[in-house]
Amino acid sequence: MNPMLVAVVLGILQGVLEWIPVSSEGGVALASTALTGVSSAAATRLALFLHAGTAVSAIVYYRTEVREILASVRDLSRRPFASETADLSFIMVATVATGVTGLPAYLLLDAAVSDLEGGLFLAFVGGLLVLTGLLQRFAAALSLGEREIPDGLDAVFVGVLQGLAILPGVSRSGTTVSALLLRGHEGESSLRLSFLLSIPAALAANALVLVDDGVPAIEPGEAVVALGVSAVVGYLTVGALVRLVRTVPFWAVCTAFGGLGVVGGLLVAL
């Protein structure tokens, strides 16, 4: 396949899969391996690199919230996790927790996928996709009360799980949204917090890959195209998902996408 077309396909996959409870990293890595023949390790690094495109999507879509969060910095020292600083406090603490768990997970990932080629790699990704899908199914039913603003425990809990979601096959959005639902946040609020939290995590993952290995698997020009496509498609997809959640009960959305994750994981594993 033409390399530029491959870049477009990978960008579309990242833009669509990032926001639904199916691993964008696992999907993009599998597609990269199939379309380019690169090693599973290089494909996984490329998948992490492309998260920067959907980070731009989140920044643009939630631009009002991002401006408000940045403006609340001046109040942070006096009122962390107060109503006006809760989002900023949540993102900061969760991002630190993500780094604490994500860096060791990245090093483990790098060693693990280097030894998992072909069918073993597919089975590994498929098994993790199944676990992610099952988590979606029960998150809303096990909700622990009702919360309007995040607190410190939310931030640590969600941040740790987001760090572990660097593993291929684990859905970042699915895991973090499920964690927020379990903590008692309602559907649209869980999406918003999850997607805002994706911004520093995605940019950090992109920087980590660049420092560790440079632009992986594809040429720089193709990488720019893939990032641009993922940003545009990601913006359209996140808007569609938020509108869906406003009209359909969130447990139904989670169950539907969780089933998709389970079926997709089983098909991949087979």
Side-chain angles (χ1 to χ4, degrees), residues 26-215:
V28 173
L30 291 175
S32 300
T33 300
L35 295 174
T36 67
V38 298
S39 69
S40 55
T44 302
R45 293 190 192 99
L46 175 59
L48 289 173
F49 170 79
L50 291 182
H51 279 63
T54 41
V56 172
S57 303
I59 291 171
V60 175
Y61 188 83
Y62 287 107
R63 55 192 177 276
T64 301
E65 287 86 347
V66 170
R67 283 196 297 266
E68 291 174 351
I69 288 170
L70 293 176
S72 69
V73 170
R74 62 180 178 271
D75 297 321
L76 186 61
S77 61
R78 292 175 295 170
R79 297 187 295 273
F81 286 105
S83 58
E84 65 271 23
T85 57
D87 286 353
L88 176 60
S89 302
F90 172 80
I91 291 171
M92 291 178 63
V93 174
T95 298
V96 171
T98 296
V100 170
T101 56
L103 184 57
Y106 176 79
L107 298 175
L108 173 65
L109 158 75
D110 195 44
V113 300
S114 296
D115 296 329
L116 291 174
E117 300 292 343
L120 288 178
F121 180 61
L122 296 177
F124 177 66
V125 172
L128 289 175
L129 280 170
V130 170
L131 293 176
T132 298
L134 292 174
L135 181 61
Q136 310 315 308
R137 174 63 182 85
F138 296 106
L142 297 175
S143 177
L144 305 176
E146 296 183 1
R147 298 175 182 273
E148 294 184 358
I149 61 174
D151 60 17
L153 184 56
D154 291 334
V156 173
F157 182 43
V158 174
V160 167
L161 292 179
Q162 179 172 254
L164 297 177
I166 198 172
L167 296 170
V170 179
S171 166
R172 190 213 64 83
S173 62
T175 301
T176 54
V177 168
S178 295
L180 288 163
L181 287 173
L182 288 169
R183 289 286 297 157
H185 295 272
E186 56 91 20
E188 187 174 346
S189 175
S190 296
L191 283 180
R192 184 181 65 85
L193 289 171
S194 172
F195 296 166
L196 287 171
L197 184 58
S198 75
I199 296 170
L203 295 177
N206 182 277
L208 183 62
V209 170
L210 288 176
V211 170
D212 185 42
D213 200 36
V215 179

